[in-house]
Amino acid sequence: MTSPQTTGQHYDVAIAGAGIIGLATALFLREQGLSVVVFDKGAAAYEQSSRNWGWMRTISQDMAELSLALESRPLWRQWAQEADFGFRPCGLLSLATDGGEWSGLRSWLDHAAGRGLDARIAQSEEVARLLPQFRRPWAGAVFAPGDAGIEPDQAMHFLERKARAAGVAIVTGNAVKRIDISGGRAVGVQTETGFVAAEKIVIAAGIWSRWLCATLGIVLPQLRVTASVLRTTPVEGGPEVNVASSRYCLRRRSDGGYTVARRNSSLTHVTPDSLRFMRQYLPNYLRQKQLLRVRMGMNFFHEWRQERRFGPGRPNPFEDFRTCDPTPDIDTLKETFDHLKEDAPIFRSARIAGTWAGTIDVLPDALPVLSSVARYPGLFLATGFSAHGFGIGPASGRLMANIITGTASATAAAPFRLDRFHLNGD
Ligand SMILES: Cc1cc2nc3c(=O)[nH]c(=O)nc-3n(C[C@H](O)[C@H](O)[C@H](O)COP(=O)(O)OP(=O)(O)OC[C@H]3O[C@@H](n4cnc5c(N)ncnc54)[C@H](O)[C@@H]3O)c2cc1C
């Protein structure tokens, strides 16, 4: 455990979770002159924020999130001038395999028109120019030249260093076990090493936010989805552009290999929470059920047992789960890699050099919560990024910092309010 000296201190803001959202929020709060401490139960950014594909994208983002995606582009560019973390404005090419997918992509493009995007239809000649290594015919394609690729682990090391240099206190290996309430407002956090007082508290705990909220009786309708990823050995002359399709998604890595995954292979288990929040999730699930595989199994009982240990006044096991490190789905990854080799023979000489998985925090409308909590003044949530929080992390952190200091415009914050779910007596 590090930095026990935070115990007994008083901060303007204490944040639970040192992923991209907690760290970016902390950085922008420091820039406004506030004192900030960030706690992580494990190593900084060792869950979703360093396990993702490394895409900064606008294509297929929800309309409510597009401004965060666009505002994040210059922030990433600015940070990339301070350090090399593999930032490459290589563009994203989203490819449709059939008419159904193509009509979905076109409809997104129509909705996004007039919002300042550079995304446009790519004709087959342009697709051939961007992907000369591929020999598959596509039903249609959309290209966003300003979208980018980033090395997530390197970027997160950079962000941690930058936040520390700006004066953010980052305490790792020290879980926030509880938020303390006094006189009806949040007044500090109980960590493994003791109480730390703060004017404002932010829960930015990724998949754990649901449980940290539960210690206060706040209902966050968050579920978990596990996604698997592989990286290849280096490939000479492979594509520069990021590729999105239902057969595979890929990004060229700084080491010359590729990060490869499939967007329609994420897995979720039926748990007590999936039943509890079924009404909220059903509309989105029915629209996108081809993107998700649902399994029934022992997870239901594991979570049910775990749940007994959470809640107001009960102990919680954040200390028992320092890092969520799920087992990757090797069969699906091999199948995905086979699809890639079938479509682009240049990958046939490559091998799978590594695999991993990450667990994603999703919300019913696939939009994050960046919000105060009406029941407890001083408490804020920054969570539920539903698989797109890395690329939009910088602008999301800035928006969250502005919400905390009361300088965010009501319009910018409106889509991300907690009370949109009406689950907390609101
Ligand atoms: C396989 C995969 C691929 C993805 N691809 C992309 C992509 O290409 N582009 C994109 O934009 N997004 C992508 N995402 C999503 C993106 O990674 C996440 O939305 C984003 O990283 C969320 O950041 P976060 O800070 O909210 O959560 P996290 O990074 O999960 O961080 C939460 C932190 O909180 C800590 N914590 C939890 N509970 C406590 C506690 N009680 N006390 C102290 N600390 C605590 C955890 O240890 C963790 O470090 C992907 C995600 C996955 C898993």
Side-chain angles (χ1 to χ4, degrees):
M1 242 174 250
T2 56
S3 312
Q5 72 275 10
T6 51
T7 307
Q9 302 264 0
H10 186 287
Y11 291 87
D12 290 323
V13 183
I15 300 178
I20 190 164
I21 302 306
L23 290 178
T25 302
L27 183 65
F28 287 106
L29 285 168
R30 267 310 288 150
E31 288 183 1
Q32 295 190 41
L34 277 71
S35 60
V36 188
V37 62
V38 183
F39 292 95
D40 202 291
K41 61 181 175 52
Y46 203 57
E47 294 197 342
Q48 296 175 84
S49 295
S50 59
R51 290 162 188 263
N52 61 70
W53 301 350
W55 281 3
M56 186 205 78
R57 70 176 164 94
T58 51
I59 295 184
S60 298
Q61 289 282 17
D62 191 287
M63 295 303 135
E65 272 177 337
L66 271 181
S67 54
L68 293 177
L70 284 172
E71 288 165 22
S72 290
R73 279 183 177 180
L75 289 169
W76 277 118
R77 273 199 298 271
Q78 189 188 320
W79 290 353
Q81 282 172 3
E82 296 171 33
D84 179 7
F85 47 80
F87 177 82
R88 279 190 325 121
C90 52
L92 173 72
L93 187 63
S94 188
L95 300 157
T97 56
D98 58 31
E101 287 182 11
W102 182 224
S103 100
L105 263 179
R106 286 196 70 133
S107 141
W108 175 83
L109 200 55
D110 290 346
H111 277 96
R115 291 172 188 258
L117 292 189
D118 57 0
R120 53 178 163 73
I121 291 176
Q123 304 299 344
S124 47
E125 302 74 38
E126 187 172 23
V127 175
R129 184 177 59 73
L130 289 165
L131 292 183
Q133 310 85 351
F134 286 62
R135 56 182 194 194
R136 185 184 178 82
W138 302 96
V142 169
F143 181 47
D147 284 356
I150 297 163
E151 293 300 334
D153 49 344
Q154 293 174 23
M156 292 313 302
H157 281 131
F158 159 77
L159 186 56
E160 185 187 349
R161 275 198 315 274
K162 183 173 169 67
R164 282 190 199 274
V168 174
I170 301 175
V171 187
T172 55
N174 195 352
V176 170
K177 293 158 58 139
R178 203 176 70 224
I179 315 292
D180 272 16
I181 304 293
S182 176
R185 53 174 301 125
V187 293
V189 291
Q190 284 293 346
T191 71
E192 288 176 68
T193 49
F195 176 72
V196 177
E199 293 298 308
K200 313 260 168 80
I201 321 290
V202 186
I203 297 178
I207 57 167
W208 304 92
S209 299
R210 155 98 176 107
W211 299 110
L212 209 41
C213 284
T215 64
L216 289 173
I218 298 163
V219 181
L220 180 71
Q222 188 182 53
L223 295 182
R224 297 174 173 202
V225 169
T226 298
S228 299
V229 191
L230 69 86
R231 66 184 171 85
T232 72
T233 51
V235 178
E236 277 284 307
E240 292 296 327
V241 68
N242 292 339
V243 175
S245 81
S246 54
R247 287 173 67 73
Y248 37 74
C249 293
L250 47 117
R251 172 182 65 82
R252 186 174 178 82
R253 301 165 55 89
S254 299
D255 61 15
Y258 284 78
T259 291
V260 182
R262 206 156 99 198
R263 69 173 177 222
N264 50 352
S265 66
S266 299
L267 181 67
T268 192
H269 287 95
V270 176
T271 60
D273 269 353
S274 4
L275 303 182
R276 201 169 282 138
F277 301 131
M278 190 185 287
R279 193 172 57 78
Q280 282 83 9
Y281 278 88
L282 210 54
N284 224 355
Y285 172 71
L286 291 176
R287 258 198 312 278
Q288 305 195 22
K289 63 178 175 207
Q290 74 283 4
L291 300 183
L292 192 63
R293 290 176 299 143
V294 182
R295 291 272 184 286
M296 181 79 204
M298 289 309 287
N299 277 49
F300 185 94
F301 300 101
H302 291 153
E303 194 160 316
W304 183 75
R305 269 200 300 273
Q306 200 177 87
E307 204 171 275
R308 306 291 100 192
R309 303 183 60 196
F310 284 87
R314 297 197 192 116
N316 59 68
F318 298 114
E319 309 99 288
D320 299 341
F321 297 93
R322 294 284 165 198
T323 300
C324 174
D325 188 16
T327 309
D329 174 352
I330 301 294
D331 290 344
T332 303
L333 287 174
K334 280 186 177 155
E335 187 186 73
T336 306
F337 195 36
D338 285 346
H339 285 163
L340 179 60
K341 289 190 280 191
E342 201 178 302
D343 292 1
I346 195 165
F347 283 94
R348 286 182 191 161
S349 58
R351 284 178 297 102
I352 295 179
T355 59
W356 67 94
T359 302
I360 296 167
D361 54 336
V362 296
L363 286 173
D365 52 7
L367 288 176
V369 167
L370 295 164
S371 178
S372 56
V373 177
R375 194 189 306 170
Y376 297 118
L379 181 64
F380 295 82
L381 302 185
T383 193
F385 278 80
S386 307
H388 8 97
F390 181 68
I392 65 172
S396 302
R398 186 167 62 187
L399 175 60
M400 192 64 228
N402 291 344
I403 290 171
I404 291 165
T405 55
T407 53
S409 83
T411 328
F416 310 118
R417 291 172 59 94
L418 174 66
D419 57 15
R420 70 185 192 267
F421 299 120
H422 306 293
L423 287 168
N424 291 285
D426 36 28

